[in-house]
Amino acid sequence: MEFGVRDKSYERDLSRVLENYDFEVVTEMVNFFEKFKTKTDFVSAASKPLVNLFIREVLDVEIHLRNWSTKPMFLKMVKELKTKYDKYWGAYNKMNDFMYFAVLLGPTIKSPFLLHAFKKMIGYMEVMEQPLTPVDIDIKACPMVREIENRMKNLFMTHLKRFDNGGSSQQEASQKFIDVDDDNDFVFDDFLCMGGSNSGPKDNEFRTYLKENIVNYKKDFSILGWWRRIAIKFPTVAQMAKDILVIQISSVASESAFSTCGRVVNDYRTSLSTLIV
């Protein structure tokens, strides 16, 4: 009531005096929206690639909405937010493949994390219909991971044709030895033309990368730095990583994380009037 004495508009603008309950509601609202602020700040970071972690952040928002949907005062708002969430992220089978490719290109997560993510997604979607057992979820999730790996293998083959110039030079080098021993019935030059001991399925590099153990995660881990160091071993996969992971810097940095419109106010537009904004 002291504030009502000091500010004459207090009682005029408010239909009633604020009570402790009102401040509790405001506190809850702050707690609810703090998650979205944190996520927005995280995925909008332009200084480092984070696209390989987007799935993790998306699922965290899903869990957040589910946890708060049980609170009476948030039922209507959470329902509206969940509808918007489902429009963009709810259908795991309709998500852009590059979201999943980025996970596979994360040396600290790769296929095991993608499998874990699919299990969570399936569990969330089926819980409202007919709950599935862990075995049923495994049966549905494992083929999904293999399908994503196969699609990424196709992308790998496209990159291989685009960037691999070693095949022709290797064949030219082997041609120098074709006439070494014409009387040799073993036809050694055929072996050389095939690339010698390095011959085999062209997707060997990609399959070998997927089969390698996951790299231990550290707080200061740099995914681009790791790919620069390992590029000599996986040159084509490293090129894919560069193309896919760096997309985040050029696109996400210029758009709002949870909206389809671009940012209206930023460090360079803070002098705009509220009417213009």
Side-chain angles (χ1 to χ4, degrees), residues 86-154:
D86 288 340
K87 178 182 178 181
Y88 294 102
W89 308 107
Y92 56 81
N93 56 339
K94 294 182 181 179
M95 255 193 235
N96 191 313
D97 281 347
F98 280 84
M99 294 283 286
Y100 300 134
F101 293 168
V103 173
L104 294 180
L105 290 170
T108 61
I109 47 180
K110 296 202 286 189
S111 298
F113 180 81
L114 189 59
L115 177 62
H116 177 70
F118 278 143
K119 288 181 181 180
K120 291 292 185 183
M121 291 178 184
I122 293 170
Y124 295 154
M125 293 190 69
E126 301 294 339
V127 71
M128 299 303 294
E129 300 173 9
Q130 182 178 359
L132 297 176
T133 66
V135 175
D136 292 332
I137 293 177
D138 276 345
I139 291 174
K140 294 189 70 171
C142 290
M144 293 169 63
V145 174
R146 288 195 294 270
E147 176 63 22
I148 295 298
E149 290 177 348
N150 287 333
R151 291 179 192 173
M152 190 169 173
K153 184 183 74 173
N154 294 334

Side-chain angles (χ1 to χ4, degrees), residues 198-256:
N198 292 323
S199 63
K202 290 187 175 180
D203 64 340
N204 264 349
E205 179 190 329
F206 174 67
R207 289 188 291 114
T208 300
Y209 162 70
L210 287 182
K211 288 179 180 179
E212 283 207 342
N213 292 332
I214 291 176
V215 176
N216 290 331
Y217 177 77
K218 296 180 181 178
K219 238 182 177 182
D220 59 346
F221 178 78
S222 169
I223 188 170
L224 289 184
W226 187 87
W227 275 112
R228 276 194 294 270
R229 293 191 299 273
I230 208 72
I232 191 170
K233 184 176 182 181
F234 302 115
T236 306
V237 182
Q239 183 61 49
M240 289 173 59
K242 179 182 177 183
D243 292 346
I244 293 175
L245 298 176
V246 177
I247 288 175
Q248 183 266 342
I249 295 179
S250 59
S251 62
V252 177
S254 62
E255 295 185 18
S256 179

Side-chain angles (χ1 to χ4, degrees), residues 22-33:
D22 297 301
F23 291 100
E24 291 174 1
V25 171
V26 172
T27 301
E28 287 283 86
M29 292 285 288
V30 170
N31 292 336
F32 176 73
F33 285 111

Side-chain angles (χ1 to χ4, degrees), residues 154-165 202 236:
N154 294 334
L155 181 64
F156 170 82
M157 297 305 292
T158 301
H159 272 71
L160 193 64
K161 293 176 183 177
R162 184 178 169 193
F163 297 106
D164 182 23
N165 297 318
K202 290 187 175 180
T236 306

